[in-house]
Amino acid sequence: MNPEGCVGGDSVYLMEPTGIEDFQLEGEFRLYPIPASRILHIEYVQENAENLKLEMFDPAGREILIRPYPNTNEIKDAINVSEMTRGVYYLRLRSDERQIIKRIILN
């Protein structure tokens, strides 16, 4: 019994939070211009080289583009979007374990 009259004790452990951040692809991912009407520029830079894949999804969620980038730590690319229907699209850049998803607008 302690001076306050309590018996027993508890332990509190503080741990690093886990969650979505654990699955985010590290590095800088830039898309421009937004909104895009003709050409969408894509830039990505990270420290370590790895196999990357860019996927684009239309407003209905259908995958409409896949571009592999094997064993790289930098991407500088462009997509011609002039023939695509206006709307909201999603780009996903992923490695084997992590990913980044960005929303883009085509007009």
Side-chain angles (χ1 to χ4, degrees):
M1 183 178 297
N2 66 17
E4 287 81 29
C6 296
V7 177
D10 286 328
S11 298
V12 175
Y13 300 95
L14 300 177
M15 301 175 66
E16 292 285 326
T18 60
I20 293 174
E21 296 84 23
D22 295 340
F23 301 104
Q24 290 281 337
L25 194 60
E26 296 177 2
E28 184 179 340
F29 189 29
R30 293 185 52 216
L31 305 170
Y32 61 91
I34 301 292
S37 57
R38 293 188 310 234
I39 300 293
L40 176 67
H41 296 275
I42 300 157
E43 295 180 0
Y44 179 72
V45 178
Q46 69 175 5
E47 286 187 28
N48 301 317
E50 60 185 319
N51 295 323
L52 299 172
K53 185 188 296 185
L54 181 72
E55 302 163 316
M56 186 173 192
F57 299 90
D58 71 8
R62 295 178 297 232
E63 187 174 61
I64 59 170
L65 175 107
I66 300 174
R67 288 195 183 169
Y69 302 95
N71 197 32
T72 188
N73 68 330
E74 183 175 5
I75 297 171
K76 288 190 179 198
D77 204 349
I79 299 172
N80 182 348
V81 296
S82 63
E83 301 295 319
M84 295 181 183
T85 305
R86 295 198 291 182
V88 177
Y89 290 74
Y90 291 89
L91 280 176
R92 176 170 62 188
L93 182 63
R94 66 184 181 112
S95 68
D96 293 333
E97 298 175 358
R98 298 172 186 265
Q99 67 181 5
I100 296 174
I101 299 173
K102 296 279 188 177
R103 186 179 77 160
I104 61 170
I105 298 171
L106 304 183
N107 65 5

